[in-house]
């Protein structure tokens, strides 16, 4: 459909200032000529044109005087996608049927997702043509064990094709990724400067949190800008060898960012979607080799050795089919890494390790060294088994700290992570040994405190597994930017025995 | 959580007059004390209290002056659920986590839906606690072949338990249901008066259209009110033996109505959800026996004899487990029934049959007689094989027509179905024999013309299968209430060879 097809006269743009999260919504008055002529009803899918720019949006019908009958209101998401100023002339039309939805329905009804279907779906998703409920149906249909390896390959390929793809001068382009589920595991901010300080290329793009209290991009954002455009990212990598940028801003696998907007509130993760999401981003970023950090633990994202093997196998199969080298490193996922959980609190842990402070979390350092070692060996800077010593030297000498400062400066300027206005120390209720921590509930606690939206929010953990606790001994400190959030987190934390298992000695 | 838990002061209700379809939405100003204190962000799920009444709603954050910082705006769906007038004092709080979502995620990850999980999910759904994307995930997880018989039984039982359940004095309470997919198959409006005229009890509740151009409730509504409350429905049935009411208004299986609000835009149907939906409504309505009309055809909802057997088997198994007698009658689903497709146009067909007009559609009459016959035999009014003659007699004598008029009068007064302001006759493009009709595309055409929202909209079909057509001979007449809708339907109908197969003689 072209703008010429839009029936009836134009409407005057009115930015309504309503934040509907990421779903674009348009508001039309019930008595507008267009509503009457077209028979539009609430939740119709509507094509909106401003000049040659157009979006697909969901209609809300207004009965009141909020907008005039000649106006077309835009939600913030719709306005961001369409641009313009109040009074611009827009045109609307019934959306043409979304053909790729038939392929989603076929998948729901049990037919495998073929290459052509995956391409059509991902193209429409990347263009923002799917409504939230359509995205929810797609994600659900592809969750659990409902996507086999062939389907995952088709989906990954389609996701790469739907966005930009970077090329680098360097023959070897390294990358790392953690499959998540382990709060505080912020190794990227250590691995990238170590690897880059050794002269290798590691143009890292990271995601924001999906279901966790902080993504790497959220944490890095407390230190430096992460929403880099492509020229900026290229300039940073050319001068420093590495960067830590938010993937969403550079349109690598844009479909993935659309899926995340619904995966997050649904709290859904699955092997197929995860592998497609991770590898599509890495391939689009131009990486030739990627090391996958896979924490395994009862309450991590990967819960058992069996699940870890299946996921690793899928990474290898899909990576092989798409021509990217994948190494998977399984790690201990029984407890959080470092002390902080939440964007700024995790950044403080990273800074302590880089600055070799006496209270720097040793577990975070050890994990980062293992991953950096693997990358240094893959990149030919160290022989087999020699990577770890090289990485430790770069960290101890302060070269990695210097490199992170240089990267932050190149990304737009380094800043100090914020500190929360409201904190509360939570003491152990009774004596005993800390024998288990429920990572999921701990993450939920940090989210109730406001993370990741509130960057200073989250919690600091004071007692690792095995600690012999006396009553009142600090277990954790809650950090919140508002008293309401602190109160919510406190209410949740009251049931502390659902988070911490303390065995009476 | 109780109202006393709501933190901070109250907010003043403002009915904003925004129709968001059925999802309740609340609007808060970004700078309101409550948004700041609670750290609310767009799409948070919020509990809203007005006195002791409360709802769960989705938050939209307002940046502009649309609402004041002391106000809380309600969408129409939220206002319908909560009531009140502008200025009423409301309280809000973070929604407590929806526990039953874990059960939905477990189902998505492949674990079967148990009785306890089904009960918890359906209770929350019936109370309106699920957001649209959560409903979409639930429906998708239960679609296709992803629900076995045991799960369907659990879901059906839970759906009955979540709403009201009617009791009738009569020992035998009859019911009928058509699984749909066949446009124009409006037999209920004939079967109910025939059966009731014979002295049997048939308190029929019907749904509105889900993915079709008209549901029975939509069609009946062009003749009489259908949104009957329970006392009215009981009074109608006590005086007339039967009624044709909208099931949604009497809170029979209220969860079903919530599911439909998302099934409809997604265009999803599945055996398990269909059987649970149909039988939960019948059992809740107090029926002891139900006859299921199952049209089978390439473009009907049930496409093959094999699919029909599987669906019939599931109806029998679930009916048996829940103690309701089920008879399934498979019928020809190769072409629409009667002439009209759309609420009012189908009502005119029904009236022609009841009034024994010379141009009454014979196929509609024959189908209604077959179903009525089965019910008369089940109800003991006719011996085996004698039901049909009895039914035909009641129709021919005018007793059924008298009975429908009496039922309409008892439901609130009979009225004449509306007629569309805009019509257009579509002629055959070339000579040949009409050998196939795509029911799905024909239904889509009627929907583009405005059905079922616009009751007079839809189409009249002039050529049954087998007709030898000459060029220009009328195939159908489109009916629309607005010129825009007529234009959309016409544009779609231009590709008439995707709807009609005409073999050149």
């Amino acid at each position: 459909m072209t703008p010429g097809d839009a029936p009836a006269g134009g409407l005057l743009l009115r930015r309504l200032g309503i934040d509907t999260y990421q779903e674009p919504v348009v508001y039309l008055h019930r008595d507008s000529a267009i509503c009457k002529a077209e028979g539009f009803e609430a939740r119709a899918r509507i094509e909106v044109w401003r000049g040659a720019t157009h979006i697909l949006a969901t209609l809300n019908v207004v009965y009141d005087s909020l907008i005039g009958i000649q106006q077309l209101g835009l939600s913030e998401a719709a306005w961001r996608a369409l641009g313009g100023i109040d009074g611009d002339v827009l045109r609307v039309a019934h959306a043409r049927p979304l053909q790729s939805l038939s392929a989603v329905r076929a998948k729901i009804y049990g037919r495998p997702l073929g290459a052509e279907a995956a391409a059509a779906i991902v193209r429409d998703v990347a263009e923002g043509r799917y409504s939230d409920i359509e995205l929810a149906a797609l994600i659900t249909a592809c969750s659990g064990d409902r996507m086999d390896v062939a389907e995952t390959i088709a989906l990954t390929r389609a996701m790469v094709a739907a966005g930009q793809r970077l090329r680098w001068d360097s023959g070897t382009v390294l990358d790392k990724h953690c499959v998540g589920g382990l709060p505080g595991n912020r190794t990227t901010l250590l691995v990238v400067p170590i690897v880059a300080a050794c002269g290798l290329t590691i143009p890292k793009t990271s995601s924001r949190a999906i279901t966790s209290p902080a993504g790497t991009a959220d944490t890095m954002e407390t230190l430096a800008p992460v929403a880099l455009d492509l020229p900026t990212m290229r300039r940073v990598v050319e001068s420093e060898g590495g960067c830590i940028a938010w993937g969403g801003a550079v349109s690598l696998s844009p479909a993935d960012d659309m899926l995340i907007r619904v995966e997050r509130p649904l709290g859904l993760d699955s092997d197929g979607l995860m592998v497609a999401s991770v590898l599509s981003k890495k391939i689009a970023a131009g990486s030739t080799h990627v090391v996958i950090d896979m924490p395994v633990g009862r309450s991590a994202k990967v819960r058992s050795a069996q699940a870890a093997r299946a996921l690793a196998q899928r990474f290898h199969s899909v990576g092989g089919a798409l021509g990217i080298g994948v190494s998977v490193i399984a790690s201990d996922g029984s407890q959080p890494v470092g002390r902080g959980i939440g964007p700024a609190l995790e950044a403080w842990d990273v800074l302590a390790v880089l600055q070799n402070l006496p209270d720097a979390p040793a577990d975070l350092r050890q994990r980062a060294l293992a991953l950096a070692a693997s990358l240094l060996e893959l990149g030919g800077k160290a022989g087999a088994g020699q990577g770890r010593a090289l990485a430790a030297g770069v960290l101890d000498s302060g070269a990695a700290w210097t490199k992170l400062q240089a990267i932050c400066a190149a990304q737009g300027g380094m800043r100090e992570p914020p500190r929360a206005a409201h904190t509360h120390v939570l003491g152990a209720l009774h004596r005993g040994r800390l024998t288990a921590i429920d990572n999921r509930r701990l993450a939920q606690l940090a989210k109730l405190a406001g993370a990741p939206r509130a960057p200073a929010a989250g919690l600091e953990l004071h007692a690792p597994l095995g600690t012999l606790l006396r009553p009142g001994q600090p277990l954790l400190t809650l950090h919140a930017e508002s008293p309401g959030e602190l109160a919510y987190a406190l209410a949740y934390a009251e049931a502390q025995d659902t988070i911490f298992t303390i065995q009476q000695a």
Side-chain angles (χ1 to χ4, degrees), chain A:
Chain A
M1 188 170 290
T2 66
D5 293 340
L11 292 155
L12 304 178
L13 187 157
R14 166 114 182 263
R15 183 179 169 189
L16 277 179
I18 297 179
D19 179 2
T20 56
Y21 197 52
Q22 292 182 21
E23 183 161 72
V25 175
V26 303
Y27 302 84
L28 287 175
H29 198 282
R30 174 179 50 178
D31 298 330
S32 63
I34 194 86
C35 265
K36 287 182 173 169
E38 298 292 325
F40 285 152
E41 63 181 327
R43 208 155 78 186
R45 297 286 286 163
I46 307 262
E47 201 91 44
V48 187
W49 295 83
R50 186 174 76 84
T53 312
H54 64 114
I55 59 167
L56 193 57
T58 296
L59 176 65
N60 281 191
V61 176
V62 178
Y63 295 178
D64 210 319
S65 56
L66 291 183
I67 64 167
I69 60 170
Q70 302 281 354
Q71 292 180 323
L72 179 142
L74 293 183
S75 73
E76 289 299 285
W79 179 81
R80 281 193 301 272
L82 204 56
I85 56 167
D86 280 6
D88 279 359
V89 176
L90 306 183
R91 288 175 182 277
V92 301
H94 275 291
R96 61 179 192 269
L98 202 53
Q99 298 295 345
S100 67
L101 266 187
S102 316
V104 175
R105 276 190 287 266
K107 173 66 188 156
I108 293 171
Y109 294 147
R111 281 196 287 286
L113 190 68
E116 207 175 312
I121 291 170
V122 168
R123 216 160 33 230
D124 281 338
V125 167
E127 285 175 10
R129 301 189 67 82
Y130 272 53
S131 69
D132 281 358
I133 62 166
E134 290 160 353
L135 288 173
L138 169 62
I139 286 161
T140 304
C142 295
S143 288
D145 56 358
R146 288 184 185 142
M147 278 226 301
D148 63 19
V149 170
E151 292 176 288
T152 309
I153 292 169
L155 186 64
T156 308
R157 218 184 285 274
M159 286 168 79
V160 172
Q164 304 192 55
R165 188 162 176 178
L166 309 188
R167 311 271 168 198
W168 304 96
D169 293 336
S170 169
T172 300
V173 180
L174 300 174
D175 215 329
K176 75 157 284 278
H177 184 83
C178 176
V179 302
L182 196 56
N185 195 19
R186 210 48 64 209
T187 54
T188 295
L189 276 67
L190 298 165
V191 170
V192 168
I194 293 172
V195 170
C198 293
L200 291 168
T201 302
I202 183 162
K204 180 86 184 75
T205 59
S206 296
S207 60
R208 299 191 185 278
I210 302 177
T211 57
S212 73
T216 294
D218 301 313
T219 300
M220 180 67 178
E221 199 166 37
T222 69
L223 293 167
V226 294
L228 311 184
D229 58 16
L230 262 183
T232 308
M233 183 174 161
R234 192 171 287 283
R235 190 174 44 69
V236 174
V237 174
E238 274 164 10
S239 74
E240 302 303 333
C243 69
I244 303 166
W246 173 47
V250 286
S251 273
L252 300 175
S253 191
D256 193 44
D257 299 305
M258 292 288 176
L259 296 181
I260 286 173
R261 88 178 196 218
V262 172
E263 280 170 29
R264 183 172 168 170
L266 287 177
L268 283 182
D269 274 314
S270 78
D271 278 14
L273 289 173
M274 186 195 302
V275 169
S277 162
V278 171
L279 292 187
S280 68
K281 281 247 159 53
K282 301 307 169 200
I283 294 165
S287 307
T288 57
H289 298 79
V290 58
V291 172
I292 306 285
D293 177 12
M294 190 184 293
V296 184
R298 217 159 31 120
S299 59
K301 194 172 282 183
V302 180
R303 301 194 192 201
S304 67
Q306 190 192 355
R309 276 192 302 275
L311 181 55
Q313 183 53 51
R314 192 178 296 233
F315 266 115
H316 287 129
S317 304
V318 177
L322 277 95
I324 181 171
V326 181
S327 300
V328 177
I329 298 184
S331 61
D332 172 23
S334 62
Q335 62 182 325
V337 179
R339 254 190 310 276
I341 299 176
L345 292 164
E346 296 179 28
W348 287 113
D349 279 357
V350 166
L351 295 180
V353 173
L354 285 169
Q355 295 165 5
N356 296 303
L357 299 184
D359 65 343
D363 55 345
L364 178 60
R365 175 186 157 97
Q366 295 307 325
R367 285 173 171 269
L369 289 178
L371 295 167
S374 173
L375 287 164
L376 293 174
E377 294 171 17
L378 274 174
K381 288 289 171 183
Q386 307 299 313
R388 194 181 173 91
L390 176 57
V394 170
L395 203 50
D396 294 342
S397 72
W401 172 219
T402 305
K403 178 55 83 177
L404 184 72
Q405 291 172 281
I407 290 173
C408 286
Q411 289 193 189
M414 188 159 192
R415 53 200 176 204
E416 183 165 292
R419 302 205 187 253
H422 306 272
T423 62
H424 182 96
V425 178
L426 204 78
L429 285 178
H430 49 87
R431 178 181 308 276
R433 193 172 297 280
L434 181 60
T435 57
I437 298 174
D438 187 320
N439 291 329
R440 287 161 198 270
R441 288 178 177 272
L442 202 62
Q444 178 65 21
L445 185 59
K447 283 158 68 180
L448 283 174
R453 186 192 40 77
L459 59 88
E460 277 176 293
L461 198 59
H462 303 302
L465 283 184
T467 305
L468 190 60
L469 295 159
R470 56 177 198 284
Q473 180 173 338
L475 272 171
L476 56 81
T477 302
L478 284 169
H479 293 240
E481 294 187 4
S482 77
E485 287 169 311
L486 188 65
Y488 271 101
L490 273 173
Y492 185 82
E494 265 175 21
Q496 78 171 232
D497 53 0
T498 65
I499 304 173
F500 299 101
T501 307
I502 300 176
Q503 284 192 344
Q504 315 237 346

